[in-house]
Amino acid sequence: MSRRKQHVPWTAAGTASEQQHSADDVVRETGWVFNNRTGRELDLAAFVETGDHETLAYLQAFGLDAGIEHQSLVEIGSGIGRMTASFSRMFARVTACDLDGAFLERCRETVAQFGRPERLQTCHVDDGRTLLIADASTDLAFSYITLQHCHPSDALALTREAVRITRPGGHVALNYRTWTASDAALWPAGKVVRGSFRVPGVGPMLARHRLTARVGWQANRLGPATVLPEVAEHLRDVRLVRSPQRSPFGVAGVEETTYVGVHPSHWWLIGTVR
Ligand SMILES: C[S@@+](CC[C@H](N)C(=O)[O-])C[C@H]1O[C@@H](n2cnc3c(N)ncnc32)[C@H](O)[C@@H]1O
């Protein structure tokens, strides 16, 4: 069993995804863990379309969309390939990384149907913090709504890993969640619920239930002041991208821009590897 209680809801959803016959059934049963949509009418095509709308929009917002047809991308936390299919159509090579091996199998299926499977590799992040990928081997390391689900030290380890695997001159685009007013209630509730995921009998049930999974699965709040010292010496042209609804982080010497597509509780670290 994995040592981290925050892995439980993901491995539970991964196991549930293995029990489904078709990829459309996987989306109906477990798709909500990725894009919070439910309903019997859902199918894989509609699920992938939600990713299609986000991939290019983010790359353009971050100024990372030029020349990507010749580039490689590593996606940290791919899930069942909601965005991976689109990335595989845009980039020459894509490596999808995830904590859950069953998600990666489904990701291959998603890319086979809606992307370019011959461009895809997968990487199982067995310990939740180490990427089995060579140093300086990718053009872009990208992660969306994943690092917020990791133990704080794992999120910081994956941040360092993202920089390690990116070639000099390549980029990182990494998404984090930080504090908002609603955390006064959400954060303590999340801690209690996460603790319950390990209780024999009831824990696995709570981890698979939509409401409790959602309350418990955000395992950290990380702001730029905590993340930047981990990697700043290896990056240049660092930029923080936040929601226009959020006040500036105000880190000395670090550029900040806003993008309407960023959730007010989220921020992105964009940087070029030295
Ligand atoms: C909310 S989903 C996002 C998936 C994808 N980025 C998307 O937008 O559809 C979070 C993903 O991160 C994965 N994950 C959670 N903790 C992880 C960790 N420590 N290392 C790697 N992947 C992790 C989960 O298994 C899940 O597939």
Side-chain angles (χ1 to χ4, degrees), residues 6-7 10 33-35 47 54 75-80 82-83 97-100 103 125 127-129 144-146 149-150 154 158 217:
Q6 41 272 87
H7 293 179
W10 303 108
V33 308
F34 305 105
N35 67 352
F47 181 71
E54 290 180 282
E75 184 187 6
I76 303 170
S78 60
I80 63 173
R82 190 178 72 87
M83 301 174 102
C97 309
D98 205 280
L99 176 68
D100 190 77
F103 282 161
V125 191
D127 64 355
R129 56 186 285 132
Y144 181 52
I145 44 175
T146 291
H149 297 298
C150 304
D154 290 352
L158 287 170
W217 68 18

PDB file of all heavy atoms in Angstrom, residues 6-7 10 33-35 47 54 75-80 82-83 97-100 103 125 127-129 144-146 149-150 154 158 217, ligand 1:
ATOM      1  N   GLN A   6      -2.994  10.786   0.596  1.00  0.00           N
ATOM      2  CA  GLN A   6      -3.537  11.558  -0.531  1.00  0.00           C
ATOM      3  C   GLN A   6      -3.507  10.774  -1.849  1.00  0.00           C
ATOM      4  O   GLN A   6      -4.093  11.209  -2.829  1.00  0.00           O
ATOM      5  CB  GLN A   6      -2.871  12.915  -0.716  1.00  0.00           C
ATOM      6  CG  GLN A   6      -1.382  12.956  -0.552  1.00  0.00           C
ATOM      7  CD  GLN A   6      -1.023  13.185   0.894  1.00  0.00           C
ATOM      8  OE1 GLN A   6      -0.922  12.239   1.658  1.00  0.00           O
ATOM      9  NE2 GLN A   6      -0.857  14.408   1.297  1.00  0.00           N
ATOM     10  N   HIS A   7      -2.852   9.598  -1.850  1.00  0.00           N
ATOM     11  CA  HIS A   7      -2.887   8.775  -3.059  1.00  0.00           C
ATOM     12  C   HIS A   7      -4.192   7.965  -3.141  1.00  0.00           C
ATOM     13  O   HIS A   7      -4.555   7.490  -4.215  1.00  0.00           O
ATOM     14  CB  HIS A   7      -1.715   7.790  -3.074  1.00  0.00           C
ATOM     15  CG  HIS A   7      -0.376   8.454  -3.211  1.00  0.00           C
ATOM     16  ND1 HIS A   7       0.803   7.768  -3.217  1.00  0.00           N
ATOM     17  CD2 HIS A   7      -0.035   9.768  -3.345  1.00  0.00           C
ATOM     18  CE1 HIS A   7       1.828   8.610  -3.349  1.00  0.00           C
ATOM     19  NE2 HIS A   7       1.329   9.840  -3.412  1.00  0.00           N
ATOM     20  N   TRP A  10      -7.043   8.654  -5.748  1.00  0.00           N
ATOM     21  CA  TRP A  10      -6.623   8.445  -7.145  1.00  0.00           C
ATOM     22  C   TRP A  10      -6.505   6.975  -7.463  1.00  0.00           C
ATOM     23  O   TRP A  10      -6.952   6.526  -8.528  1.00  0.00           O
ATOM     24  CB  TRP A  10      -5.300   9.186  -7.399  1.00  0.00           C
ATOM     25  CG  TRP A  10      -5.476  10.631  -7.091  1.00  0.00           C
ATOM     26  CD1 TRP A  10      -4.962  11.313  -6.029  1.00  0.00           C
ATOM     27  CD2 TRP A  10      -6.319  11.555  -7.794  1.00  0.00           C
ATOM     28  NE1 TRP A  10      -5.420  12.608  -6.042  1.00  0.00           N
ATOM     29  CE2 TRP A  10      -6.247  12.783  -7.103  1.00  0.00           C
ATOM     30  CE3 TRP A  10      -7.122  11.465  -8.931  1.00  0.00           C
ATOM     31  CZ2 TRP A  10      -6.945  13.914  -7.524  1.00  0.00           C
ATOM     32  CZ3 TRP A  10      -7.823  12.592  -9.341  1.00  0.00           C
ATOM     33  CH2 TRP A  10      -7.726  13.784  -8.637  1.00  0.00           C
ATOM     34  N   VAL A  33     -13.489  12.914 -11.633  1.00  0.00           N
ATOM     35  CA  VAL A  33     -12.269  13.220 -10.870  1.00  0.00           C
ATOM     36  C   VAL A  33     -11.341  14.142 -11.657  1.00  0.00           C
ATOM     37  O   VAL A  33     -10.407  14.723 -11.099  1.00  0.00           O
ATOM     38  CB  VAL A  33     -11.490  11.963 -10.385  1.00  0.00           C
ATOM     39  CG1 VAL A  33     -12.378  11.002  -9.632  1.00  0.00           C
ATOM     40  CG2 VAL A  33     -10.763  11.265 -11.503  1.00  0.00           C
ATOM     41  N   PHE A  34     -11.580  14.275 -12.950  1.00  0.00           N
ATOM     42  CA  PHE A  34     -10.729  15.143 -13.768  1.00  0.00           C
ATOM     43  C   PHE A  34     -11.390  16.483 -14.087  1.00  0.00           C
ATOM     44  O   PHE A  34     -10.751  17.517 -14.023  1.00  0.00           O
ATOM     45  CB  PHE A  34     -10.353  14.432 -15.074  1.00  0.00           C
ATOM     46  CG  PHE A  34      -9.717  13.105 -14.827  1.00  0.00           C
ATOM     47  CD1 PHE A  34     -10.413  11.938 -15.033  1.00  0.00           C
ATOM     48  CD2 PHE A  34      -8.430  13.031 -14.334  1.00  0.00           C
ATOM     49  CE1 PHE A  34      -9.838  10.710 -14.767  1.00  0.00           C
ATOM     50  CE2 PHE A  34      -7.839  11.814 -14.065  1.00  0.00           C
ATOM     51  CZ  PHE A  34      -8.548  10.649 -14.284  1.00  0.00           C
ATOM     52  N   ASN A  35     -12.665  16.450 -14.491  1.00  0.00           N
ATOM     53  CA  ASN A  35     -13.259  17.729 -14.903  1.00  0.00           C
ATOM     54  C   ASN A  35     -14.586  18.023 -14.209  1.00  0.00           C
ATOM     55  O   ASN A  35     -15.315  18.913 -14.650  1.00  0.00           O
ATOM     56  CB  ASN A  35     -13.419  17.795 -16.432  1.00  0.00           C
ATOM     57  CG  ASN A  35     -14.450  16.804 -16.939  1.00  0.00           C
ATOM     58  OD1 ASN A  35     -14.941  15.970 -16.178  1.00  0.00           O
ATOM     59  ND2 ASN A  35     -14.785  16.908 -18.210  1.00  0.00           N
ATOM     60  N   PHE A  47     -15.481  14.344 -23.224  1.00  0.00           N
ATOM     61  CA  PHE A  47     -14.455  14.514 -22.177  1.00  0.00           C
ATOM     62  C   PHE A  47     -13.166  15.088 -22.778  1.00  0.00           C
ATOM     63  O   PHE A  47     -12.598  16.055 -22.270  1.00  0.00           O
ATOM     64  CB  PHE A  47     -14.211  13.138 -21.559  1.00  0.00           C
ATOM     65  CG  PHE A  47     -13.202  13.103 -20.456  1.00  0.00           C
ATOM     66  CD1 PHE A  47     -13.477  13.657 -19.210  1.00  0.00           C
ATOM     67  CD2 PHE A  47     -11.979  12.483 -20.645  1.00  0.00           C
ATOM     68  CE1 PHE A  47     -12.545  13.602 -18.181  1.00  0.00           C
ATOM     69  CE2 PHE A  47     -11.045  12.421 -19.623  1.00  0.00           C
ATOM     70  CZ  PHE A  47     -11.331  12.980 -18.400  1.00  0.00           C
ATOM     71  N   GLU A  54      -8.649  23.573 -23.511  1.00  0.00           N
ATOM     72  CA  GLU A  54      -7.719  24.172 -22.545  1.00  0.00           C
ATOM     73  C   GLU A  54      -6.262  24.163 -23.001  1.00  0.00           C
ATOM     74  O   GLU A  54      -5.508  25.088 -22.683  1.00  0.00           O
ATOM     75  CB  GLU A  54      -7.832  23.441 -21.199  1.00  0.00           C
ATOM     76  CG  GLU A  54      -9.153  23.723 -20.518  1.00  0.00           C
ATOM     77  CD  GLU A  54      -9.272  23.010 -19.194  1.00  0.00           C
ATOM     78  OE1 GLU A  54      -9.543  21.803 -19.190  1.00  0.00           O
ATOM     79  OE2 GLU A  54      -9.075  23.661 -18.161  1.00  0.00           O
ATOM     80  N   GLU A  75       3.850  15.605 -19.560  1.00  0.00           N
ATOM     81  CA  GLU A  75       2.669  16.036 -18.810  1.00  0.00           C
ATOM     82  C   GLU A  75       2.665  15.307 -17.469  1.00  0.00           C
ATOM     83  O   GLU A  75       2.531  14.080 -17.428  1.00  0.00           O
ATOM     84  CB  GLU A  75       1.388  15.709 -19.608  1.00  0.00           C
ATOM     85  CG  GLU A  75       0.130  16.215 -18.931  1.00  0.00           C
ATOM     86  CD  GLU A  75      -1.152  15.746 -19.615  1.00  0.00           C
ATOM     87  OE1 GLU A  75      -1.087  14.923 -20.554  1.00  0.00           O
ATOM     88  OE2 GLU A  75      -2.233  16.207 -19.187  1.00  0.00           O
ATOM     89  N   ILE A  76       2.788  16.066 -16.386  1.00  0.00           N
ATOM     90  CA  ILE A  76       2.831  15.460 -15.044  1.00  0.00           C
ATOM     91  C   ILE A  76       1.401  15.439 -14.495  1.00  0.00           C
ATOM     92  O   ILE A  76       0.814  16.488 -14.252  1.00  0.00           O
ATOM     93  CB  ILE A  76       3.766  16.268 -14.113  1.00  0.00           C
ATOM     94  CG1 ILE A  76       5.172  16.358 -14.720  1.00  0.00           C
ATOM     95  CG2 ILE A  76       3.809  15.635 -12.725  1.00  0.00           C
ATOM     96  CD1 ILE A  76       6.102  17.332 -14.001  1.00  0.00           C
ATOM     97  N   GLY A  77       0.838  14.237 -14.343  1.00  0.00           N
ATOM     98  CA  GLY A  77      -0.551  14.094 -13.905  1.00  0.00           C
ATOM     99  C   GLY A  77      -1.490  14.127 -15.093  1.00  0.00           C
ATOM    100  O   GLY A  77      -2.320  15.021 -15.238  1.00  0.00           O
ATOM    101  N   SER A  78      -1.360  13.123 -15.955  1.00  0.00           N
ATOM    102  CA  SER A  78      -2.151  13.096 -17.201  1.00  0.00           C
ATOM    103  C   SER A  78      -3.545  12.542 -16.984  1.00  0.00           C
ATOM    104  O   SER A  78      -4.438  12.782 -17.799  1.00  0.00           O
ATOM    105  CB  SER A  78      -1.452  12.222 -18.238  1.00  0.00           C
ATOM    106  OG  SER A  78      -1.333  10.898 -17.728  1.00  0.00           O
ATOM    107  N   GLY A  79      -3.720  11.738 -15.899  1.00  0.00           N
ATOM    108  CA  GLY A  79      -4.987  11.037 -15.739  1.00  0.00           C
ATOM    109  C   GLY A  79      -5.259  10.162 -16.949  1.00  0.00           C
ATOM    110  O   GLY A  79      -4.345   9.554 -17.524  1.00  0.00           O
ATOM    111  N   ILE A  80      -6.509  10.116 -17.374  1.00  0.00           N
ATOM    112  CA  ILE A  80      -6.887   9.229 -18.488  1.00  0.00           C
ATOM    113  C   ILE A  80      -6.764   9.944 -19.835  1.00  0.00           C
ATOM    114  O   ILE A  80      -7.313   9.492 -20.831  1.00  0.00           O
ATOM    115  CB  ILE A  80      -8.294   8.625 -18.296  1.00  0.00           C
ATOM    116  CG1 ILE A  80      -9.392   9.698 -18.284  1.00  0.00           C
ATOM    117  CG2 ILE A  80      -8.347   7.812 -17.009  1.00  0.00           C
ATOM    118  CD1 ILE A  80     -10.816   9.121 -18.277  1.00  0.00           C
ATOM    119  N   ARG A  82      -7.285  13.402 -20.715  1.00  0.00           N
ATOM    120  CA  ARG A  82      -8.212  14.471 -21.117  1.00  0.00           C
ATOM    121  C   ARG A  82      -7.500  15.513 -21.973  1.00  0.00           C
ATOM    122  O   ARG A  82      -8.026  15.937 -23.009  1.00  0.00           O
ATOM    123  CB  ARG A  82      -8.802  15.125 -19.851  1.00  0.00           C
ATOM    124  CG  ARG A  82      -9.942  16.067 -20.079  1.00  0.00           C
ATOM    125  CD  ARG A  82     -10.447  16.585 -18.745  1.00  0.00           C
ATOM    126  NE  ARG A  82      -9.514  17.512 -18.137  1.00  0.00           N
ATOM    127  CZ  ARG A  82      -9.460  18.810 -18.342  1.00  0.00           C
ATOM    128  NH1 ARG A  82     -10.337  19.368 -19.166  1.00  0.00           N
ATOM    129  NH2 ARG A  82      -8.568  19.575 -17.745  1.00  0.00           N
ATOM    130  N   MET A  83      -6.289  15.918 -21.556  1.00  0.00           N
ATOM    131  CA  MET A  83      -5.512  16.891 -22.330  1.00  0.00           C
ATOM    132  C   MET A  83      -4.457  16.206 -23.210  1.00  0.00           C
ATOM    133  O   MET A  83      -3.984  16.788 -24.178  1.00  0.00           O
ATOM    134  CB  MET A  83      -4.811  17.883 -21.383  1.00  0.00           C
ATOM    135  CG  MET A  83      -5.767  18.660 -20.490  1.00  0.00           C
ATOM    136  SD  MET A  83      -4.878  19.668 -19.272  1.00  0.00           S
ATOM    137  CE  MET A  83      -5.003  21.287 -20.008  1.00  0.00           C
ATOM    138  N   CYS A  97       2.632  11.222 -17.560  1.00  0.00           N
ATOM    139  CA  CYS A  97       3.076  10.677 -16.269  1.00  0.00           C
ATOM    140  C   CYS A  97       1.900  10.684 -15.300  1.00  0.00           C
ATOM    141  O   CYS A  97       1.176  11.686 -15.228  1.00  0.00           O
ATOM    142  CB  CYS A  97       4.158  11.556 -15.652  1.00  0.00           C
ATOM    143  SG  CYS A  97       5.523  11.934 -16.748  1.00  0.00           S
ATOM    144  N   ASP A  98       1.744   9.622 -14.545  1.00  0.00           N
ATOM    145  CA  ASP A  98       0.693   9.628 -13.524  1.00  0.00           C
ATOM    146  C   ASP A  98       1.032   8.637 -12.420  1.00  0.00           C
ATOM    147  O   ASP A  98       1.712   7.645 -12.633  1.00  0.00           O
ATOM    148  CB  ASP A  98      -0.678   9.301 -14.125  1.00  0.00           C
ATOM    149  CG  ASP A  98      -1.820   9.865 -13.290  1.00  0.00           C
ATOM    150  OD1 ASP A  98      -2.178   9.249 -12.258  1.00  0.00           O
ATOM    151  OD2 ASP A  98      -2.335  10.959 -13.639  1.00  0.00           O
ATOM    152  N   LEU A  99       0.490   8.963 -11.250  1.00  0.00           N
ATOM    153  CA  LEU A  99       0.604   8.111 -10.075  1.00  0.00           C
ATOM    154  C   LEU A  99      -0.064   6.767 -10.297  1.00  0.00           C
ATOM    155  O   LEU A  99       0.370   5.746  -9.762  1.00  0.00           O
ATOM    156  CB  LEU A  99      -0.119   8.858  -8.937  1.00  0.00           C
ATOM    157  CG  LEU A  99      -0.268   8.234  -7.587  1.00  0.00           C
ATOM    158  CD1 LEU A  99       1.091   8.125  -6.916  1.00  0.00           C
ATOM    159  CD2 LEU A  99      -1.197   9.094  -6.731  1.00  0.00           C
ATOM    160  N   ASP A 100      -1.140   6.749 -11.055  1.00  0.00           N
ATOM    161  CA  ASP A 100      -1.950   5.536 -11.182  1.00  0.00           C
ATOM    162  C   ASP A 100      -1.730   4.848 -12.531  1.00  0.00           C
ATOM    163  O   ASP A 100      -1.971   5.452 -13.580  1.00  0.00           O
ATOM    164  CB  ASP A 100      -3.435   5.870 -10.993  1.00  0.00           C
ATOM    165  CG  ASP A 100      -4.242   4.592 -10.883  1.00  0.00           C
ATOM    166  OD1 ASP A 100      -4.203   3.972  -9.805  1.00  0.00           O
ATOM    167  OD2 ASP A 100      -4.838   4.175 -11.896  1.00  0.00           O
ATOM    168  N   PHE A 103      -4.839   4.516 -14.851  1.00  0.00           N
ATOM    169  CA  PHE A 103      -5.131   5.752 -15.603  1.00  0.00           C
ATOM    170  C   PHE A 103      -4.259   5.810 -16.862  1.00  0.00           C
ATOM    171  O   PHE A 103      -4.713   6.228 -17.925  1.00  0.00           O
ATOM    172  CB  PHE A 103      -4.836   6.995 -14.767  1.00  0.00           C
ATOM    173  CG  PHE A 103      -5.888   7.345 -13.733  1.00  0.00           C
ATOM    174  CD1 PHE A 103      -5.576   8.184 -12.674  1.00  0.00           C
ATOM    175  CD2 PHE A 103      -7.185   6.869 -13.822  1.00  0.00           C
ATOM    176  CE1 PHE A 103      -6.521   8.534 -11.724  1.00  0.00           C
ATOM    177  CE2 PHE A 103      -8.143   7.203 -12.867  1.00  0.00           C
ATOM    178  CZ  PHE A 103      -7.801   8.033 -11.823  1.00  0.00           C
ATOM    179  N   VAL A 125       4.446   7.184 -12.117  1.00  0.00           N
ATOM    180  CA  VAL A 125       5.089   7.898 -11.000  1.00  0.00           C
ATOM    181  C   VAL A 125       4.775   7.121  -9.722  1.00  0.00           C
ATOM    182  O   VAL A 125       3.924   7.519  -8.916  1.00  0.00           O
ATOM    183  CB  VAL A 125       4.587   9.354 -10.903  1.00  0.00           C
ATOM    184  CG1 VAL A 125       5.460  10.152  -9.928  1.00  0.00           C
ATOM    185  CG2 VAL A 125       4.579  10.031 -12.260  1.00  0.00           C
ATOM    186  N   ASP A 127       6.132   6.450  -6.831  1.00  0.00           N
ATOM    187  CA  ASP A 127       6.251   6.990  -5.471  1.00  0.00           C
ATOM    188  C   ASP A 127       5.602   8.367  -5.334  1.00  0.00           C
ATOM    189  O   ASP A 127       5.657   8.983  -4.279  1.00  0.00           O
ATOM    190  CB  ASP A 127       7.726   7.062  -5.043  1.00  0.00           C
ATOM    191  CG  ASP A 127       8.528   8.046  -5.910  1.00  0.00           C
ATOM    192  OD1 ASP A 127       7.974   8.592  -6.887  1.00  0.00           O
ATOM    193  OD2 ASP A 127       9.714   8.266  -5.595  1.00  0.00           O
ATOM    194  N   GLY A 128       4.988   8.857  -6.409  1.00  0.00           N
ATOM    195  CA  GLY A 128       4.314  10.155  -6.339  1.00  0.00           C
ATOM    196  C   GLY A 128       5.249  11.346  -6.341  1.00  0.00           C
ATOM    197  O   GLY A 128       4.806  12.482  -6.131  1.00  0.00           O
ATOM    198  N   ARG A 129       6.557  11.115  -6.596  1.00  0.00           N
ATOM    199  CA  ARG A 129       7.473  12.259  -6.527  1.00  0.00           C
ATOM    200  C   ARG A 129       8.693  12.161  -7.429  1.00  0.00           C
ATOM    201  O   ARG A 129       9.478  13.087  -7.510  1.00  0.00           O
ATOM    202  CB  ARG A 129       7.921  12.496  -5.087  1.00  0.00           C
ATOM    203  CG  ARG A 129       8.569  11.289  -4.413  1.00  0.00           C
ATOM    204  CD  ARG A 129       8.860  11.551  -2.944  1.00  0.00           C
ATOM    205  NE  ARG A 129       9.993  12.411  -2.757  1.00  0.00           N
ATOM    206  CZ  ARG A 129      10.001  13.467  -1.938  1.00  0.00           C
ATOM    207  NH1 ARG A 129       8.950  13.787  -1.232  1.00  0.00           N
ATOM    208  NH2 ARG A 129      11.080  14.201  -1.808  1.00  0.00           N
ATOM    209  N   TYR A 144      -1.063  20.346 -14.823  1.00  0.00           N
ATOM    210  CA  TYR A 144      -2.303  21.086 -14.553  1.00  0.00           C
ATOM    211  C   TYR A 144      -3.154  20.317 -13.545  1.00  0.00           C
ATOM    212  O   TYR A 144      -3.350  19.099 -13.686  1.00  0.00           O
ATOM    213  CB  TYR A 144      -3.067  21.274 -15.871  1.00  0.00           C
ATOM    214  CG  TYR A 144      -4.354  22.051 -15.734  1.00  0.00           C
ATOM    215  CD1 TYR A 144      -4.375  23.287 -15.103  1.00  0.00           C
ATOM    216  CD2 TYR A 144      -5.539  21.553 -16.236  1.00  0.00           C
ATOM    217  CE1 TYR A 144      -5.551  24.002 -14.976  1.00  0.00           C
ATOM    218  CE2 TYR A 144      -6.725  22.270 -16.127  1.00  0.00           C
ATOM    219  CZ  TYR A 144      -6.728  23.487 -15.494  1.00  0.00           C
ATOM    220  OH  TYR A 144      -7.896  24.197 -15.368  1.00  0.00           O
ATOM    221  N   ILE A 145      -3.690  21.039 -12.574  1.00  0.00           N
ATOM    222  CA  ILE A 145      -4.511  20.498 -11.472  1.00  0.00           C
ATOM    223  C   ILE A 145      -4.015  19.134 -10.970  1.00  0.00           C
ATOM    224  O   ILE A 145      -4.800  18.228 -10.749  1.00  0.00           O
ATOM    225  CB  ILE A 145      -6.035  20.463 -11.779  1.00  0.00           C
ATOM    226  CG1 ILE A 145      -6.341  19.934 -13.182  1.00  0.00           C
ATOM    227  CG2 ILE A 145      -6.656  21.828 -11.556  1.00  0.00           C
ATOM    228  CD1 ILE A 145      -7.868  19.774 -13.446  1.00  0.00           C
ATOM    229  N   THR A 146      -2.732  19.061 -10.738  1.00  0.00           N
ATOM    230  CA  THR A 146      -2.140  17.830 -10.208  1.00  0.00           C
ATOM    231  C   THR A 146      -1.314  18.114  -8.952  1.00  0.00           C
ATOM    232  O   THR A 146      -1.463  17.432  -7.943  1.00  0.00           O
ATOM    233  CB  THR A 146      -1.247  17.174 -11.285  1.00  0.00           C
ATOM    234  OG1 THR A 146      -2.093  16.698 -12.322  1.00  0.00           O
ATOM    235  CG2 THR A 146      -0.416  16.031 -10.725  1.00  0.00           C
ATOM    236  N   HIS A 149      -2.769  18.154  -5.528  1.00  0.00           N
ATOM    237  CA  HIS A 149      -3.237  16.898  -4.951  1.00  0.00           C
ATOM    238  C   HIS A 149      -2.123  16.097  -4.290  1.00  0.00           C
ATOM    239  O   HIS A 149      -2.362  14.999  -3.802  1.00  0.00           O
ATOM    240  CB  HIS A 149      -3.893  16.041  -6.042  1.00  0.00           C
ATOM    241  CG  HIS A 149      -5.102  16.684  -6.638  1.00  0.00           C
ATOM    242  ND1 HIS A 149      -6.233  16.978  -5.903  1.00  0.00           N
ATOM    243  CD2 HIS A 149      -5.361  17.110  -7.904  1.00  0.00           C
ATOM    244  CE1 HIS A 149      -7.129  17.551  -6.692  1.00  0.00           C
ATOM    245  NE2 HIS A 149      -6.629  17.645  -7.907  1.00  0.00           N
ATOM    246  N   CYS A 150      -0.919  16.636  -4.314  1.00  0.00           N
ATOM    247  CA  CYS A 150       0.235  15.898  -3.793  1.00  0.00           C
ATOM    248  C   CYS A 150       0.569  16.356  -2.370  1.00  0.00           C
ATOM    249  O   CYS A 150       0.328  17.520  -2.016  1.00  0.00           O
ATOM    250  CB  CYS A 150       1.461  16.168  -4.660  1.00  0.00           C
ATOM    251  SG  CYS A 150       1.219  15.797  -6.400  1.00  0.00           S
ATOM    252  N   ASP A 154       6.030  16.213  -1.909  1.00  0.00           N
ATOM    253  CA  ASP A 154       6.003  15.572  -3.230  1.00  0.00           C
ATOM    254  C   ASP A 154       5.779  16.616  -4.330  1.00  0.00           C
ATOM    255  O   ASP A 154       6.370  16.536  -5.414  1.00  0.00           O
ATOM    256  CB  ASP A 154       4.890  14.513  -3.311  1.00  0.00           C
ATOM    257  CG  ASP A 154       5.187  13.293  -2.447  1.00  0.00           C
ATOM    258  OD1 ASP A 154       6.313  13.200  -1.910  1.00  0.00           O
ATOM    259  OD2 ASP A 154       4.294  12.439  -2.303  1.00  0.00           O
ATOM    260  N   LEU A 158       8.294  17.153  -7.310  1.00  0.00           N
ATOM    261  CA  LEU A 158       7.906  17.094  -8.729  1.00  0.00           C
ATOM    262  C   LEU A 158       8.252  18.402  -9.445  1.00  0.00           C
ATOM    263  O   LEU A 158       8.569  18.402 -10.636  1.00  0.00           O
ATOM    264  CB  LEU A 158       6.408  16.773  -8.857  1.00  0.00           C
ATOM    265  CG  LEU A 158       6.040  15.320  -8.526  1.00  0.00           C
ATOM    266  CD1 LEU A 158       4.521  15.145  -8.436  1.00  0.00           C
ATOM    267  CD2 LEU A 158       6.616  14.347  -9.559  1.00  0.00           C
ATOM    268  N   TRP A 217      -9.217  15.684  -1.374  1.00  0.00           N
ATOM    269  CA  TRP A 217      -8.093  15.389  -2.276  1.00  0.00           C
ATOM    270  C   TRP A 217      -7.145  16.557  -2.510  1.00  0.00           C
ATOM    271  O   TRP A 217      -6.085  16.366  -3.092  1.00  0.00           O
ATOM    272  CB  TRP A 217      -8.588  14.805  -3.585  1.00  0.00           C
ATOM    273  CG  TRP A 217      -9.359  15.710  -4.495  1.00  0.00           C
ATOM    274  CD1 TRP A 217      -9.406  17.061  -4.470  1.00  0.00           C
ATOM    275  CD2 TRP A 217     -10.161  15.288  -5.593  1.00  0.00           C
ATOM    276  NE1 TRP A 217     -10.207  17.512  -5.479  1.00  0.00           N
ATOM    277  CE2 TRP A 217     -10.689  16.429  -6.185  1.00  0.00           C
ATOM    278  CE3 TRP A 217     -10.495  14.045  -6.135  1.00  0.00           C
ATOM    279  CZ2 TRP A 217     -11.522  16.401  -7.288  1.00  0.00           C
ATOM    280  CZ3 TRP A 217     -11.329  14.003  -7.228  1.00  0.00           C
ATOM    281  CH2 TRP A 217     -11.836  15.167  -7.795  1.00  0.00           C
TER     282      TRP A 217
HETATM  283  C1  LIG B   1      -7.428  16.311 -11.289  1.00  0.00           C
HETATM  284  S1  LIG B   1      -6.501  15.107 -12.178  1.00  0.00           S
HETATM  285  C2  LIG B   1      -5.898  16.069 -13.530  1.00  0.00           C
HETATM  286  C3  LIG B   1      -5.545  15.244 -14.739  1.00  0.00           C
HETATM  287  C4  LIG B   1      -5.255  16.079 -15.992  1.00  0.00           C
HETATM  288  N1  LIG B   1      -4.173  17.017 -15.752  1.00  0.00           N
HETATM  289  C5  LIG B   1      -6.503  16.800 -16.441  1.00  0.00           C
HETATM  290  O1  LIG B   1      -6.545  18.044 -16.353  1.00  0.00           O
HETATM  291  O2  LIG B   1      -7.451  16.139 -16.833  1.00  0.00           O
HETATM  292  C6  LIG B   1      -5.046  14.877 -11.187  1.00  0.00           C
HETATM  293  C7  LIG B   1      -4.169  13.735 -11.683  1.00  0.00           C
HETATM  294  O3  LIG B   1      -2.954  13.749 -10.949  1.00  0.00           O
HETATM  295  C8  LIG B   1      -2.589  12.432 -10.617  1.00  0.00           C
HETATM  296  N2  LIG B   1      -1.753  12.521  -9.428  1.00  0.00           N
HETATM  297  C9  LIG B   1      -2.125  12.793  -8.149  1.00  0.00           C
HETATM  298  N3  LIG B   1      -1.059  12.790  -7.349  1.00  0.00           N
HETATM  299  C10 LIG B   1       0.029  12.542  -8.135  1.00  0.00           C
HETATM  300  C11 LIG B   1       1.420  12.415  -7.878  1.00  0.00           C
HETATM  301  N4  LIG B   1       1.917  12.549  -6.647  1.00  0.00           N
HETATM  302  N5  LIG B   1       2.237  12.151  -8.926  1.00  0.00           N
HETATM  303  C12 LIG B   1       1.740  12.013 -10.179  1.00  0.00           C
HETATM  304  N6  LIG B   1       0.427  12.111 -10.484  1.00  0.00           N
HETATM  305  C13 LIG B   1      -0.413  12.375  -9.462  1.00  0.00           C
HETATM  306  C14 LIG B   1      -3.903  11.716 -10.380  1.00  0.00           C
HETATM  307  O4  LIG B   1      -3.781  10.309 -10.472  1.00  0.00           O
HETATM  308  C15 LIG B   1      -4.763  12.342 -11.481  1.00  0.00           C
HETATM  309  O5  LIG B   1      -4.695  11.601 -12.655  1.00  0.00           O
END
